[in-house]
């Protein structure tokens, strides 16, 4: 049996833990093993939480579930020190050291609030570097945001996936296991990243399949509506069980985290997406839209009360990118701007900018990294900052990547080679953003090509929030590239 | 460098010129200015001084900051000081800054992040420093003083010595060193003030990142961001200044007559 746990970002004043139990014995009861917890050596009972079978259709000999997960919440102890959370299930036990989750951004000279941003992780290409580099970062995160494509359920290309629901769930479940319990399986994976700090996961297309929910020619399992529905059902169940956890169907559609004076909202713009791009609910569910409205309201209220405020918004796709044409939006990838409902996000950002409230947008998806700021035309201020960090481990495209590597090895004979031969060159932000082109992205600092994670550090200086971003390369060089600081002021 | 424009339409009326009689040194002028400012609840205020020198190093730093001015003229100011008064007379005050020329007989600069404290009287000579502004900011001296101590012990938060080296390289023309302002590296004394005031809860130059601060930015904020402080529930900065040296630059005289 494998016992696994990781901290999640939960309600204010609570420690929230995702617990996974894998490969339980045949003798185990149907509800799964009994868990026992200790906080700082004291036996404790969680405020809530219970185990649920992971929907991977994997069973033991007696047809009972093989794997379980649950989300457990404990009241934060009244101590500024990290707490030791001890978890026992049968004869297995593990311990997590959980620092108190910050409630406010530290003032200058008192430290920083550190947010680790990572996305697009293709496990088969990881040589184990991601986990080890993140574990040894000189700046430790207070919180981690995994901004989409934590798994690639539709890759490798031409994989012979089962067609039945059970077989699909088992195949997808195995992929999740490789990423989530990699340390126990003794393979490269995301587990070290997930354990570093309380984590928020938001989905992008590869949590389902490329450009989901639009069927893909290269994926036979997505051609017909019934098959596509089977695929989506199996993938959604596992996304909920692994990335969010808790009872089936209880996963949120967006996640709000306020760390004074930052109001952060992490949006799910994928799992409720429609293949009808013009649908008024094509991009987000009604509850996501409601959370967006509440986030905007919180910022505008703070502003009205002359409180400092900075918005942090995160989604699975980028803002300052070109709109794909009618063919590409179906065959390759649709971007936000292909969706009619995206207007809601654009208008929200414009209204906040009109009130001079700065917003930082965090994402991944595009397989290159950059920081770009956009000038709000009405105020002339740079009020929208987009931070893209992608990928943490690039997916492999058959033949194309091999040919790039071969060309690069020839280059190596003739002179300096490319450290990242398979990665696409980053794109500069350009053009306009907004339903009525209210924002003008301006050329930013040099861009990053390659596998990266980014650490965003925030501190306050008076009413200002200062943000510095350091990109860490995921290769032997461990190059650190710093961007900023940026002064974020609502005035 | 990114700067946010203030929404104030008029300059801060509480920051006004106070002429200097012949022979009055900077300490006496500042003492008179402090009296003239009539600070209510003196202990709720901190004092900083902007000074403008006439030596070549001061000239280089004043010209470098011209990029922060619409008229592109040299700044009046070459350095910025925190005045530790203990609510006593300015004649007994000490001045804290991060001088570009570190004292040869002091502790090694890395131990203090370049922070130096010396009697304010060292800056008394109005011939060497003909420009001075005394600015009171609405936060207690004790709070800021504590943050300056933190700053002196925390190179990790902002390495003032890096700024010193970059400014000296620019001032001395080393290897075509660029104007540090263009690389968002502010004058170290101003960065110290920015970090200390910001850490204590008061924006010295709203909208400008700490590492990019400089005396000209502090001057601009004191003159034009008074509405901001009031909006945020604080008092407007109060100050007095005297400018005894500007460089003789006049386009109207220089242009050929039609």
């Amino acid at each position: 049996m494998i016992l696994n746990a990781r901290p999640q970002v939960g309600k204010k004043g609570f420690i929230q833990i995702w617990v996974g139990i894998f490969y339980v014995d045949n003798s185990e009861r149907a509800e799964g093993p009994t868990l026992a917890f200790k906080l700082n050596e004291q036996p404790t009972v969680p405020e809530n939480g219970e185990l649920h079978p992971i929907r991977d259709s994997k069973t033991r000999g007696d047809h009972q579930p093989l794997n379980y997960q649950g989300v457990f919440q404990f009241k934060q102890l009244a101590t500024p020190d990290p707490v030791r959370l001890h978890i026992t299930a049968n004869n297995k036990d593990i311990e997590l050291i959980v620092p108190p989750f910050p409630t406010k951004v530290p003032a200058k000279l008192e430290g920083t609030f550190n947010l680790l941003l990572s996305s697009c992780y293709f496990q088969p290409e990881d040589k184990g570097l991601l986990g080890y580099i993140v574990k040894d970062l000189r700046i430790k995160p207070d919180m981690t945001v995994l901004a989409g494509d934590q798994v690639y359920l539709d890759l490798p290309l031409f994989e012979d996936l089962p067609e039945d629901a059970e077989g699909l769930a088992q195949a997808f479940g195995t992929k999740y296991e490789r990423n989530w319990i990699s340390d126990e399986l003794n393979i490269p994976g995301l587990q070290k990243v997930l354990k570093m700090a309380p984590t928020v996961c938001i989905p992008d297309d590869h949590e389902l399949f490329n450009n989901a929910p639009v069927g893909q020619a290269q994926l036979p399992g997505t051609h017909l509506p019934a098959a596509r529905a089977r695929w989506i059902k199996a993938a959604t169940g596992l996304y909920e069980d692994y990335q969010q956890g808790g009872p089936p169907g209880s996963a949120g559609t967006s996640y709000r985290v306020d760390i004074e004076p930052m109001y952060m909202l992490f949006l799910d713009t994928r799992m409720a997406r429609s293949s009808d791009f013009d649908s008024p609910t094509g991009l987000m569910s009604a509850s996501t839209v409601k959370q967006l409205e509440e986030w905007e309201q919180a910022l505008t209220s703070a502003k009205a009360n002359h409180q400092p405020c900075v918005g942090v918004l995160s989604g699975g796709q980028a803002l300052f990118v070109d709109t794909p044409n009618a063919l590409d939006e179906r065959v390759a990838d649709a971007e936000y701007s292909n969706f009619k409902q995206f207007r809601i996000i654009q208008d929200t950002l414009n209204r906040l900018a009109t009130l001079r409230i700065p917003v930082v947008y965090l994402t991944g998806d595009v397989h290159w990294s950059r920081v770009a700021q956009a000038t709000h035309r009405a105020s002339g201020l740079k009020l929208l900052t987009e931070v893209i960090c992608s990928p943490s481990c690039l997916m492999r495209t058959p033949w194309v990547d091999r040919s790039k590597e071969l060309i690069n090895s020839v280059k190596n004979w003739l002179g300096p080679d490319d450290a990242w031969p398979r990665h696409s060159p980053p794109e500069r932000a350009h053009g306009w953003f907004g339903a009525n082109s209210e924002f003008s992205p301006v050329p930013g600092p040099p861009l990053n090509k390659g596998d990266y994670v980014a650490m965003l550090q925030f501190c306050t200086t008076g009413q200002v929030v200062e943000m510095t971003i350091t990109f860490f390369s995921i290769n032997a060089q461990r190059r650190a590239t710093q961007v900023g600081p940026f002064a974020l002021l609502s005035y | 460098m990114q700067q946010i424009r203030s929404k104030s339409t008029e300059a801060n009326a509480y920051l006004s010129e106070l002429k200097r009689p012949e022979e009055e040194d900077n300490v006496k002028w500042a003492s008179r200015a402090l009296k003239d400012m009539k600070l209510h609840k003196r202990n709720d205020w901190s004092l900083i001084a902007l000074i403008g020198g006439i030596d070549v190093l001061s000239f280089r730093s004043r010209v470098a900051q011209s990029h922060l001015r619409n008229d592109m003229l040299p700044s009046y100011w070459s350095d910025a000081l925190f005045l530790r008064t203990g609510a006593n007379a300015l004649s007994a005050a000490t001045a804290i800054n991060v001088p570009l020329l570190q004292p040869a007989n002091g502790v090694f600069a890395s131990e203090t992040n370049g922070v130096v404290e010396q009697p304010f009287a060292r800056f008394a000579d109005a011939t060497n420093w003909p420009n001075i502004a005394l600015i009171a900011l609405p936060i207690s001296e004790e709070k800021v003083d504590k943050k300056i101590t933190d700053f002196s012990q925390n190179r990790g938060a902002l390495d003032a010595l890096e700024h010193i080296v970059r400014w000296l390289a620019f001032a001395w023309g080393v290897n075509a060193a660029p104007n540090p302002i263009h690389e968002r590296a502010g004058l170290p004394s101003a960065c110290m003030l920015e970090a200390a005031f910001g850490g204590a809860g008061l924006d010295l130059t709203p909208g400008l990142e700490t590492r990019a601060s400089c005396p000209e930015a502090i001057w601009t904020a004191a003159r034009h961001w008074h509405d901001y402080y009031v909006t945020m529930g604080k008092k407007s900065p109060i100050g007095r200044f005297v400018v005894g040296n500007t460089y003789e630059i006049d386009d109207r005289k220089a242009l050929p007559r039609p």
Side-chain angles (χ1 to χ4, degrees):
Chain A
M1 189 185 86
I2 292 172
L3 174 61
N4 177 283
R6 66 180 177 94
Q8 289 183 311
V9 179
K11 276 194 300 183
K12 199 170 265 186
F14 286 85
I15 296 168
Q16 185 167 311
I17 305 291
W18 180 94
V19 177
I21 301 180
F22 298 84
Y23 300 99
V24 300
D25 301 331
N26 282 338
S27 59
E28 195 55 73
R29 63 201 184 105
E31 295 79 18
T34 304
L35 289 169
F37 300 93
K38 282 184 190 170
L39 270 178
N40 283 354
E41 308 294 338
Q42 295 299 314
T44 186
V45 178
E47 294 293 312
N48 51 53
E50 57 183 354
L51 288 175
H52 306 274
I54 291 178
R55 285 168 279 175
D56 55 9
S57 294
K58 294 189 180 184
T59 55
R60 309 174 237 160
D62 55 0
H63 301 291
Q64 297 296 343
L66 184 66
N67 302 324
Y68 296 82
Q69 60 79 25
V71 170
F72 298 85
Q73 289 183 324
F74 305 86
K75 270 195 182 151
Q76 182 80 54
L77 300 184
T79 167
D81 302 320
V83 296
R84 292 167 63 198
L85 176 63
H86 194 95
I87 308 169
T88 309
N90 293 351
N91 56 346
K92 295 275 180 184
D93 58 351
I94 52 173
E95 190 167 83
L96 289 181
I97 306 294
V98 188
F101 194 68
T103 54
K104 61 193 288 192
V105 176
K108 187 85 181 178
L109 304 174
E110 288 179 0
T112 50
F113 169 68
N114 304 329
L115 186 153
L116 179 69
L117 175 64
S118 178
S119 72
C120 308
Y121 176 74
F122 186 59
Q123 191 272 344
E125 284 297 311
D126 186 5
K127 306 287 185 283
L129 282 175
L130 177 69
Y132 282 100
I133 288 176
V134 167
K135 191 166 160 272
D136 288 343
L137 288 178
R138 59 185 161 84
I139 311 164
K140 300 297 174 201
D142 296 301
M143 173 180 171
T144 300
V145 176
L146 298 182
D149 298 342
Q150 281 71 255
V151 286
Y152 281 82
L153 297 186
D154 56 338
L155 291 180
L157 215 51
F158 311 121
E159 184 182 12
D160 187 16
L161 284 168
E163 290 180 11
D164 62 299
E166 198 172 282
L168 264 182
Q170 286 170 354
F172 293 163
T174 300
K175 292 187 182 191
Y176 264 104
E177 283 174 29
R178 293 179 68 80
N179 289 20
W180 248 246
I181 55 169
S182 46
D183 287 0
E184 279 90 1
L185 298 177
N186 206 20
I187 57 173
L190 275 179
Q191 188 173 348
K192 287 189 177 66
V193 179
L194 289 163
K195 280 174 75 171
M196 282 292 288
T199 302
V200 169
C201 298
I202 54 173
D204 196 27
D205 53 346
H206 295 282
E207 265 70 27
L208 299 169
F209 52 84
N210 187 61
N211 204 22
V214 180
Q216 297 293 287
Q218 75 278 14
L219 299 171
T222 67
H223 290 174
L224 299 171
R228 199 156 58 237
R230 273 199 301 276
W231 183 306
I232 290 173
K233 187 180 175 198
T236 302
L238 287 161
Y239 162 76
E240 289 178 359
D241 289 349
Y242 276 92
Q243 301 208 29
Q244 310 304 336
S250 68
T253 56
S254 56
Y255 310 92
R256 174 83 175 275
V257 185
D258 293 345
I259 297 171
E260 187 190 332
M262 298 204 307
Y263 296 77
M264 304 196 279
L265 180 66
F266 302 91
L267 291 175
D268 172 355
T269 54
R270 181 61 64 175
M271 304 311 275
R273 196 178 277 204
S274 161
S275 51
D276 176 7
F277 296 174
D278 293 331
S279 162
T281 55
L283 189 61
M284 299 174 285
S285 67
S287 67
T288 303
V289 173
K290 187 165 177 286
Q291 290 251 31
L292 187 67
E293 289 167 356
E294 287 171 359
W295 172 74
E296 181 188 2
Q297 181 59 43
L299 283 162
T300 52
S301 297
K303 174 78 182 178
N305 292 324
H306 307 301
Q307 300 296 315
C309 56
V310 170
V312 175
L313 187 67
S314 182
Q317 290 190 280
L319 300 180
F320 307 153
V321 288
D322 294 335
T323 306
N325 61 34
L327 179 66
D328 283 347
E329 70 181 15
R330 298 277 162 188
V331 175
D333 254 335
E335 295 289 349
Y336 281 153
S337 49
N338 291 115
F339 289 83
K340 200 171 178 181
Q341 200 192 14
F342 181 49
R343 172 94 192 228
I344 292 175
I345 296 177
Q346 289 177 311
D347 288 348
T348 302
L349 294 173
N350 181 43
R351 282 193 299 273
L352 291 172
T354 303
L355 291 171
R356 293 181 167 219
I357 297 172
V359 172
V360 179
Y361 182 79
L362 312 177
T363 193
D365 183 45
V366 291
H367 296 180
W368 37 259
S369 299
R370 76 168 178 212
V371 179
Q373 287 199 297
T375 305
H376 184 239
R377 288 200 295 157
S379 60
L381 300 175
K382 289 175 185 164
L383 287 164
L384 185 54
T385 306
E386 182 188 56
V387 181
I388 301 177
C389 185
S390 165
S392 56
C393 189
L394 183 67
M395 54 174 266
R396 175 164 285 275
T397 309
W399 305 309
V400 176
D401 280 357
R402 189 72 197 119
S403 64
K404 285 179 181 173
E405 285 167 339
L406 286 171
I407 292 167
N408 195 51
S409 60
V410 173
K411 270 191 196 168
N412 191 16
W413 294 334
L414 305 172
D417 60 346
D418 185 346
W420 306 102
R422 298 191 298 118
H423 293 66
S424 352
E427 292 175 13
R428 282 196 173 278
H430 63 276
W432 303 97
F433 174 76
N436 294 304
S437 307
E438 293 92 349
F439 294 91
S440 168
V442 292
L447 316 163
N448 288 330
K449 168 183 165 179
D451 292 343
Y452 283 89
V453 294
M455 188 72 80
L456 289 79
Q457 293 177 275
F458 299 92
C459 68
T460 58
T461 60
Q463 311 284 317
V464 177
V465 173
E466 268 192 14
M467 173 179 72
T468 305
I469 303 152
T470 309
F471 289 91
F472 293 96
S473 71
I474 308 299
N475 61 357
Q477 283 69 44
R478 300 185 180 201
R479 198 160 61 93
T481 315
Q482 197 169 83
V483 185
F486 299 94
L488 308 169
L489 173 65
S490 170
Y491 176 58
Chain B
M1 180 184 291
Q2 178 181 2
Q3 281 181 290
I4 300 176
R5 273 197 171 281
S6 162
K7 291 191 278 191
S8 305
T9 52
E10 291 178 357
N12 181 1
Y14 295 106
L15 179 59
S16 58
E17 187 175 10
L18 180 69
K19 296 228 182 272
R20 185 203 302 270
E22 287 277 335
E23 307 297 321
E24 186 177 54
D25 70 22
N26 282 335
V27 175
K28 285 179 183 156
W29 177 90
S31 301
R32 197 160 53 83
L34 181 59
K35 201 172 170 188
D36 192 52
M37 284 151 62
K38 297 185 180 71
L39 294 179
H40 179 58
K41 292 188 181 171
R42 170 71 184 84
N43 287 341
D44 291 350
W45 297 83
S46 294
L47 295 177
I48 63 169
L50 305 179
I51 54 171
I54 56 165
D55 57 292
V56 178
L57 184 58
S58 296
F59 164 75
R60 294 285 285 161
S61 69
R62 288 172 63 181
V63 169
Q65 295 173 82
S66 65
H67 289 270
L68 297 173
R69 294 173 56 101
N70 285 341
D71 57 16
M72 300 294 281
L73 292 174
S75 171
Y76 299 146
W77 318 113
S78 52
D79 208 350
L81 317 170
F82 178 75
L83 300 182
R84 180 182 272 162
T85 68
N88 296 319
L90 282 180
S91 56
T94 57
I96 303 175
N97 70 337
V98 183
L100 293 182
L101 299 177
Q102 289 281 306
N105 56 354
V107 295
F108 199 55
S110 62
E111 287 186 39
T112 60
N113 203 11
V115 175
V116 170
E117 182 171 13
Q118 54 192 316
F120 180 42
R122 294 265 172 87
F123 298 91
D125 190 339
T127 309
N128 287 343
W129 292 285
N131 301 347
I132 181 167
L134 183 73
I135 300 171
L137 293 148
I139 188 166
S140 78
E141 183 180 311
E142 193 183 355
K143 276 188 187 170
V144 182
D145 198 8
K146 184 178 173 305
K147 293 294 173 184
I148 287 179
T149 305
D150 292 347
F151 179 87
S152 69
Q153 296 167 350
N154 188 355
R155 269 180 86 181
L158 196 154
D159 188 352
L161 305 187
E162 180 204 335
H163 290 238
I164 290 177
V165 171
R166 291 171 81 156
W167 275 91
L168 284 178
F170 165 74
W172 290 335
V174 177
N175 201 21
N179 182 345
I181 291 285
H182 295 318
E183 298 182 335
R184 295 149 59 118
L187 271 156
S189 294
C191 296
M192 174 198 76
L193 291 177
E194 190 78 40
F197 277 88
L202 186 88
D203 306 323
L204 205 52
T205 58
L208 188 66
E209 62 265 28
T210 308
R211 59 168 286 116
S213 191
C214 56
E216 180 63 29
I218 295 173
W219 170 245
T220 304
R223 266 175 75 81
H224 297 292
W225 280 80
H226 47 291
D227 283 356
Y228 167 80
Y229 291 105
V230 175
T231 306
M232 294 299 170
K234 298 183 190 301
K235 292 186 173 117
S236 168
I238 300 173
R240 298 290 181 267
F241 66 91
V242 60
V243 176
N245 173 265
T246 56
Y247 300 101
E248 194 177 343
I249 302 167
D250 192 331
D251 275 347
R252 285 160 300 185
K253 285 183 190 167
L255 288 171
R257 291 178 186 281

